[in-house]
Amino acid sequence: MTSQRLRIVPSQFVVEHLPNSTFPEDDEWIALVRAPEGLTVIREAPPWADGERWKGFYGDAAHGLDQPGMLAALVGPLAAAGIPVFVASTYHADLVLVPDHRLDDAATTLREAGHRIAD
């Protein structure tokens, strides 16, 4: 298992599906994924946003793209605990989102799996 040092991103996020868009109308997004069925947008949750809010774990140290198992070491324990995830990967690390109301459960699960979470 690959132990990682993580931090909790202070923002809350929303994940949106825009079925008829190829690019959002604003530039307030964190990550975009374009697929045949539309555009998926991750953005900081504005106060008026409806729907599920997500919190993110992000690695404190960059890891190489050729290092296997980094994402699996995070999502595996979360899946085993029944905690949903949504992931956006960057060049340096993975942003692992969990539902806001499951943040404490997720942090406990990741610690029990050997990861360190900065306070």
Side-chain angles (χ1 to χ4, degrees):
M1 206 238 353
T2 305
S3 177
Q4 298 175 49
R5 182 171 170 81
L6 307 167
R7 63 182 168 87
I8 298 172
V9 180
S11 301
Q12 285 186 326
F13 299 94
V14 292
V15 178
E16 301 171 326
H17 174 67
L18 306 176
N20 299 314
S21 296
T22 58
F23 206 79
E25 294 179 9
D26 60 33
D27 63 354
E28 300 298 320
W29 47 271
I30 303 296
L32 302 174
V33 178
R34 189 178 323 161
E37 62 276 0
L39 187 67
T40 299
V41 181
I42 300 172
R43 65 177 76 235
E44 286 191 33
W48 62 86
D50 292 328
E52 183 84 61
R53 291 177 183 256
W54 299 76
K55 291 292 287 184
F57 294 93
Y58 192 74
D60 265 0
H63 59 78
L65 295 176
D66 60 346
Q67 190 169 352
M70 297 299 286
L71 182 56
L74 301 177
V75 299
L78 294 171
I83 300 171
V85 301
F86 192 90
V87 177
S89 295
T90 72
Y91 187 83
H92 296 287
D94 303 297
L95 175 63
V96 177
L97 300 176
V98 299
D100 182 56
H101 69 279
R102 300 294 307 270
L103 178 65
D104 291 340
D105 295 337
T108 298
T109 298
L110 291 170
R111 283 186 181 107
E112 289 173 354
H115 302 289
R116 293 159 296 169
I117 300 174
D119 295 325

